[in-house]
Every structure is written in structure tokens, then in C-alpha cells.
Amino acid sequence: MPRPLWAGAISFGLVTIPVKIVSATEDHDVHFHRVHLTDMGRVRTRKVCEIDDQVVSQDEIGKGYEVSKDETVAVTDEELEQMPLPTAKAIEIVAFVDADTIDPVRISDSYYLAVDGQVAAKPYTLLRKALERSSKVAVAKFAWHGRERLGLLRIREGAIVLHSMKWPDEVRDPQELAPRAVEVGEEEIEQALQLADRMTIDDLSGFRDEYREALEDIIAAKADGKPLPSPDEGEEKKTGEVVDLMAALNASVKAAKESRGEDHDGQDATVHEMHPAKKTGRTVPAKKKTASSKTAAAKKTTARSTSAAKKSAGKKTAAKKRSAS
């Protein structure tokens, strides 16, 4: 069990549930030290007062708020802890909402809520079962790290999870980032949906951090004095090309089917580079013959030959009948 980060209680109406906050995630990033490249000595950050240019220790450093250019007010941790907030040591549930009404962009860090003592087991289980059966999530307020926060309580594998959330006014309006209006055909939308369906999976546990693995390989090679791993030689991606969207979707669907071991329907789907037409200036896809188009052409040629042979045989038979009469 990791070290608790906070201890308090969930306030659910008149029900109080003593809990401890435990981080729900782990940091697996590779962390570097800042070093002097000449002798590999550690480079430390010195905290210097800009007025007297003296290095200050951590116990001499506090919080201050700049009221004006020439005035700064000091605020102590004790003063912050004694603020008259009902959520100072409580996670106060203020509402229940449907889970799909929560915008994911508002969700921040995640924590597990563990029972703090056996007395909390029954009310904890009561809240958990209420959330499970209602298919809702609880919105709560709590104070942590010097500010009041908005939180979200939901259930994950029998444990209550607390997600810290952004306040509504902390989320930027994305309207200015939206692209200009463009027309998208129904056939393109259907192909995109088909591609999404082919790429749908039920379990994300197979994904891994390939960047971190490659970085660890580099560090291990340098520590052992071995040559650095060479990058994989893959096809260089072409940039700046305009492609036929429908052809790209078709090719993507086909590739998704093949990756799942499914048989494709035999239709050729290729990505065509777009070339400007010489006279009209329109952008048209370059023609590309495929195996199926060659087969179709051969079938048409055979059909025409067979039809011509039948007509010739019919004419000869008619001529013989006239001569016999």
C-alpha cells in the first residue's frame, strides 16, 4: 500500500466515511539529473533572494501574494489550513450526475479512496453499492494543497476513485480552434465508421511506452560501453502530399481487416496521389491499373470474342439453309 497523501472523510448527507487518499497511478518516466558535462558533477538549483542576493534555506521560504508592484503579503500554511471551509478535511458530495455528462477534458489526476479504519467499511460499501446500482457518479468538493477543488467519485473494481476536476471557468473555449466548414460525403463518413469499427478493441493493457523502452536501451548501452541501438529503418513517410480521402479510407479498412486476419472482399483500395489537370486546373486522382481492373478487362474482351463467334456461326448456318432450299 503506497503512503497516504491525505486523510479525512467523505460526507454523504448525514453519513461520514473516514478515508485516506492514495495515488491511483505510478510514474514510470525516466528522470534525468542536471550535470556538469566536464566532470559529471550534479548541478543544483540555488534559491537566492533577489533583494540581498543571499542563498536562503527551505525553512526561510514561505508563500507571498503580490497585492501591487510594491507590496507583497505573506500567507502562512497555518492560515491556509484554518480557513473556514466545510471541505477542509472532508470530501463533501454535493450532487449525483450521469457519467456520460462529464466532459473528459475536465478530469485531472486520479486517486483511490481507502477506508481509514474498520468503522469505515460499512458506509464505504454502502456508497460503493449505491454508485454501482445507480450507474451515476458523485460530484464532490474538497480542499487540498491550499485550494478548494472539484472532484468526481466513481467505482473501479470495487474501490472508490476520486478524480480531481477543473472548474468550469478553467476550461478554454475550443471554438476558435475549430476548422472552417467543409463538406464531407455520406460515403466518406460510412467508411470512417467502418474503419473505427475494425479498429475497436476491448482491452488496452497491451499498449506499452516504446519511447521509454528505447530510452532505457540507450542508457543501458552507454552504461556498458556498448554501441547505441540503431533506429529501425522503416519507410520514410511522405509529407505535403494531397491524397484521395476515399481511397485512403478504403486502404485503411483493408489494412485493418488484414491485421485481424480477416479476408477482405477482393476490392482493390489504394491511395492515389493527386495531380493537377492540365487544362481545367482541377485536382484529379492519377489513374492506376490494379489486378482486378486487368481481370475485368480480360473478361470483357473474352465476352466480346465469344459473342462475335456466335454471330458468325449463325450467319453460316443461315446461308447453308438458303442454298439447300
Side-chain angles (χ1 to χ4, degrees), residues 104-111 140 142 144 149-153 161-167 170:
V105 77
R106 295 183 59 184
I107 296 178
S108 186
D109 296 325
S110 302
Y111 306 91
F142 64 104
W144 199 16
R149 300 172 185 267
L150 195 63
L152 187 72
L153 299 181
V161 181
L162 169 66
H163 299 287
S164 62
M165 295 178 62
K166 300 292 185 183
W167 294 95
E170 292 180 317

Side-chain angles (χ1 to χ4, degrees), residues 45-48 55-63 77:
T45 299
R46 299 175 63 196
K47 299 177 181 179
V48 179
V55 178
V56 295
S57 60
Q58 185 61 41
D59 58 0
E60 297 178 281
I61 299 175
K63 297 180 177 68
D77 291 336

Side-chain angles (χ1 to χ4, degrees), residues 183-244:
E183 293 185 3
V184 180
E186 285 298 322
E187 188 177 357
E188 293 170 327
I189 297 175
E190 288 299 325
Q191 282 293 83
L193 290 174
Q194 185 178 355
L195 175 59
D197 183 61
R198 295 289 177 182
M199 295 177 65
T200 299
I201 61 175
D202 298 324
D203 184 13
L204 298 178
S205 61
F207 289 100
R208 67 184 197 279
D209 188 349
E210 297 182 23
Y211 177 86
R212 189 188 78 217
E213 292 176 357
L215 184 57
E216 289 172 345
D217 290 341
I218 290 176
I219 294 172
K222 297 200 73 170
D224 295 338
K226 297 179 181 179
L228 298 183
S230 58
D232 294 335
E233 296 182 0
E235 293 185 3
E236 185 178 352
K237 293 184 178 180
K238 298 180 180 179
T239 58
E241 293 183 352
V242 180
V243 298
D244 184 341

